[in-house]
Amino acid sequence: MKPVKVGLLGIGTVGTGTFNVLHRNQEEIRRRAGRGIEIAMVADLNTTRATEITQGRCRVVADAWQVVNDPEIDIVIELIGGYGIAKELVLAAIANGKHVVTANKALLATHGNEIFRAAQDKGVMVAFEAAVAGGIPIIKALREGLTANRIQWVAGIINGTTNFILSEMRDKGLDFGSVLKQAQELGYAEADPTFDIEGVDAAHKATLMAAIAFGIPVQFDKAYVEGITRLQSCDIAFAEQLGYRIKLLGIAKRVQNQGAEAIELRVHPTLIPAKRLIANVEGAMNAVLVQGDAVGATLYYGKGAGSEPTASAVIADLVDITRLATADPEHRVPHLAFQPDAMSDIQIVPMSEVCTSYYLRMRVKDQPGVLADITRILADGDISIDAMLQKEPGDGESQTDIIILTHLTREKHVLAAIERMQSLPTVLGAVTRIRMEELN
Ligand code: NDP
Ligand code: HSE
C-alpha cells in the first residue's frame, strides 16, 4: 500500500521532533499503522533551517498554503501555533478534505467548536493528543480508556514551564526570571511565555479536558485563570512547613451549584498535601489525576513539553488517523468523546460560587487584639479555621506573618472577609490567598 502523505506546517521545536522521530522509528511505525507514513512536504518561514533539518528527505516550502492546497497531501500537521494563520490553515485543510493533527491548544480552546463542526461536516478527523500534557496520552485515556465512567473531576499539572519554575525556585532558591529564561531555552515555553506564567496555557488544556470529560462544548471564555506571577517564595516555604506543596493546577470538576449540576473550570496556584503523588511531580513533568465513578482515581504522568515528548503524541495521532482513515466517519471516536448531537449544556460555575479551602497569609502589627479581630471577621463570614500558624517576629521587628488555613468556604465569602481584614489598621498590605485541594 502507498504510504500516507503528510504535510507539516512549522518545523520548530515540536515539528523538528516529529520529523526526526518519524524517520528514526519509521519501520516500527509502519508495522503499527499498517502503512508507511511519509512527511512529503514541510512549510516553514525559515526555509534554510527547515532544509537543514530535513536534509533533502522532503520538499521544503515557505508558503504553508502550498501544503494545504496540495491534492497529494492526506494529513496536515499544524505546528505553527497561535490562532491567526493557524486557524485559517486548519479550516482550509479541512475544507480540502484533509485530516488534521495539531498540538495547538490555544487554537482548539478558543475555536474548537467551529473547527470540530467543520471536520464533522466534512467527514475528516482533527486529532490533538499533543495539545494537552505533551507526551502523556491523556486525551486517549479520557476519551477512550475511561469511556465507561462518569468522570467526577480532572485535576492536573498541565504546564511544564510553570512547574519547572516552581520546582527550581523551591529547590535551588533561583529567581523567577532566570528560571523562566531556562524554560524558554529548553523549548518548554510558549512563543508568548505570559501564556505559561499567567495560567492561560493551562486553562486552554483544562478547557479541552473539561469538554471531553463532561461532554460540553469548549468554553475557554468561562474558565477562571490565575497564574504564578504573584506567588511569593515565602508562601512556597510556609506551605512546606504546613505539609503542602504549591502547584499550578488545572481543575475541571462536576459539582452541585444552587441545586443544579454544574462544572467548575479553573486554573490557579493550589496547595496540595505534600504526601499526594501529584504533589511530587517536579520540573517540566506533567501529571493528570482523573476521578471516575467506576475506576476511582487514575494518575497519568510524563513529559508535558519539549520536542520529542510532544512529537510522540503527534505521531500517535498520525498512526490513529492512518488506521481509521478508511473507517466510516460515523464509527470513529467523536472529537470530544460524546456524539456531537449528545452534548450537554451543563453550565460553568462562576468563580465567586466555587467552594474550596484557603491558605490566607497576612502581615500584621505584633500587638494585642490583632488575632481576635481577624478571627472575628472570619467567624462573621461563617468561615471555619482549620489550622493557624503565627511566626515569631524577627529580632527588633514589630511585624509578623499570620497564616490561616480554612475549611471549605465559598470564594465570595473569603473575598469579602479579605476585604474587611485589609481595612484593619493592624493588617499591613494585601492578604495573600491561595486555594487548597485535598485531591482525594
Ligand atoms: P516553535 O515556535 O518552535 O515552532 C513554530 C514554527 O512555525 C517555527 O519554525 C516558525 O518559523 C514556523 N512558522 C511560523 N509562522 C509560520 C507560517 N505562517 N508558515 C509556516 N511556518 C510558520 O513552536 P513549538 O514547536 O514550540 O510549538 C508548536 C505548537 O505546538 C504550538 O501550538 C504550541 O503551543 C504547541 N506545543 C508545544 C509544545 C512544546 O513543548 N514546545 C508542547 C505541546 C504543544 P519561525 O521560527 O521562522 O517563526
Ligand atoms: N508551554 C507549554 C508548557 C508547552 O510549558 O507546558 C506544552 O504544552
Side-chain angles (χ1 to χ4, degrees):
M1 203 183 277
K2 277 198 337 196
V4 172
K5 299 268 183 197
V6 178
L8 172 60
L9 312 180
I11 189 156
T13 304
V14 183
T16 302
T18 301
F19 191 87
N20 290 339
V21 174
L22 200 54
H23 270 273
R24 193 169 72 230
N25 297 341
Q26 61 181 326
E27 184 48 26
E28 199 85 359
I29 290 166
R30 189 193 58 74
R31 284 170 50 215
R32 287 191 167 124
R35 261 175 100 172
I37 300 177
E38 176 193 322
I39 296 188
M41 255 176 121
V42 168
D44 198 285
L45 297 180
N46 189 336
T47 48
T48 310
R49 196 189 53 212
T51 305
E52 274 167 24
I53 296 163
T54 54
Q55 295 176 355
R57 288 174 288 182
C58 69
R59 213 174 130 207
V60 171
V61 294
D63 179 11
W65 291 101
Q66 269 184 265
V67 176
V68 164
N69 292 325
D70 189 319
E72 292 290 301
I73 297 296
D74 304 302
I75 306 174
V76 169
I77 311 180
E78 184 280 306
L79 295 175
I80 291 174
Y83 11 60
I85 186 73
K87 181 186 173 197
E88 290 174 40
L89 289 164
V90 164
L91 286 173
I94 292 170
N96 288 343
K98 299 181 192 314
H99 303 289
V100 173
V101 175
T102 180
N104 192 339
K105 55 268 166 162
L107 175 65
L108 294 181
T110 47
H111 301 288
N113 299 325
E114 180 186 349
I115 290 169
F116 296 133
R117 198 174 312 115
Q120 178 78 16
D121 291 347
K122 197 74 190 172
V124 297
M125 290 172 268
V126 174
F128 54 100
E129 185 62 71
V132 182
I136 306 173
I138 187 64
I139 301 289
K140 191 111 179 149
L142 280 172
R143 208 160 64 167
E144 297 176 50
L146 299 177
T147 201
N149 288 263
R150 184 170 160 84
I151 305 288
Q152 285 146 339
W153 50 261
V154 179
I157 296 171
I158 44 180
N159 182 270
T161 302
T162 44
N163 204 47
F164 181 72
I165 292 173
L166 292 176
S167 303
E168 295 286 291
M169 281 174 73
R170 200 195 64 230
D171 294 346
K172 301 186 185 155
L174 296 175
D175 70 281
F176 188 96
S178 67
V179 190
L180 172 60
K181 197 159 167 285
Q182 264 188 62
Q184 288 174 290
E185 284 161 7
L186 290 164
Y188 303 150
E190 294 304 301
D192 176 356
T194 58
F195 271 37
D196 295 295
I197 60 180
E198 294 298 356
V200 178
D201 176 72
H204 288 148
K205 296 165 179 166
T207 298
L208 292 171
M209 291 199 293
I212 293 170
F214 306 122
I216 55 173
V218 285
Q219 297 169 74
F220 172 67
D221 55 332
K222 307 254 177 68
Y224 173 81
V225 189
E226 184 183 318
I228 63 165
T229 47
R230 279 175 291 160
L231 266 186
Q232 293 184 30
S233 33
C234 67
D235 293 312
I236 297 174
F238 288 144
E240 291 282 323
Q241 287 174 32
L242 290 159
Y244 292 86
R245 289 268 159 86
I246 300 181
K247 295 289 180 189
L248 184 72
L249 278 195
I251 299 168
K253 191 189 274 186
R254 202 188 282 278
V255 291
Q256 285 293 316
N257 183 45
Q258 296 172 348
E261 191 172 60
I263 302 292
E264 290 178 4
L265 177 56
R266 49 192 168 96
V267 168
H268 49 71
T270 314
L271 265 78
I272 315 170
K275 62 184 179 209
R276 298 264 179 275
L277 274 176
I278 195 167
N280 295 285
V281 170
E282 303 292 7
M285 302 304 276
N286 279 197
V288 183
L289 197 49
V290 184
Q291 183 78 27
D293 67 339
V295 72
T298 52
L299 179 65
Y300 307 83
Y301 170 81
K303 288 189 178 157
S307 182
E308 292 205 355
T310 312
S312 162
V314 169
I315 295 167
D317 279 344
L318 283 180
V319 172
D320 250 5
I321 290 178
T322 304
R323 286 178 183 143
L324 292 169
T326 51
D328 174 359
E330 295 294 312
H331 296 123
R332 291 179 191 144
V333 181
H335 290 110
L336 295 177
F338 291 72
Q339 297 297 340
D341 59 357
M343 300 292 273
S344 164
D345 61 359
I346 184 169
Q347 298 296 298
I348 309 281
V349 187
M351 196 59 200
S352 57
E353 297 296 329
V354 165
C355 285
T356 69
S357 308
Y358 290 84
Y359 162 104
L360 303 174
R361 177 179 59 80
M362 54 221 83
R363 189 93 185 136
V364 298
K365 289 183 184 166
D366 186 28
Q367 65 184 51
V370 175
L371 200 53
D373 288 343
I374 291 167
T375 53
R376 192 172 313 114
I377 290 172
L378 290 172
D380 289 350
D382 214 15
I383 299 167
S384 164
I385 296 173
D386 181 35
M388 195 153 62
L389 177 70
Q390 180 169 356
K391 305 304 288 182
E392 293 258 326
D395 279 347
E397 275 190 28
S398 58
Q399 304 174 359
T400 188
D401 283 307
I402 292 177
I403 293 114
I404 293 172
L405 306 187
T406 77
H407 285 294
L408 276 186
T409 304
R410 209 170 283 279
E411 175 102 355
K412 66 183 173 194
H413 297 151
V414 166
L415 294 182
I418 288 176
E419 203 176 318
R420 281 185 66 195
M421 287 178 201
Q422 286 176 170
S423 69
L424 292 172
T426 46
V427 172
L428 307 165
V431 173
T432 297
R433 174 270 284 121
I434 308 177
R435 300 169 190 87
M436 304 173 69
E437 290 288 338
E438 284 301 315
L439 298 181
N440 57 10

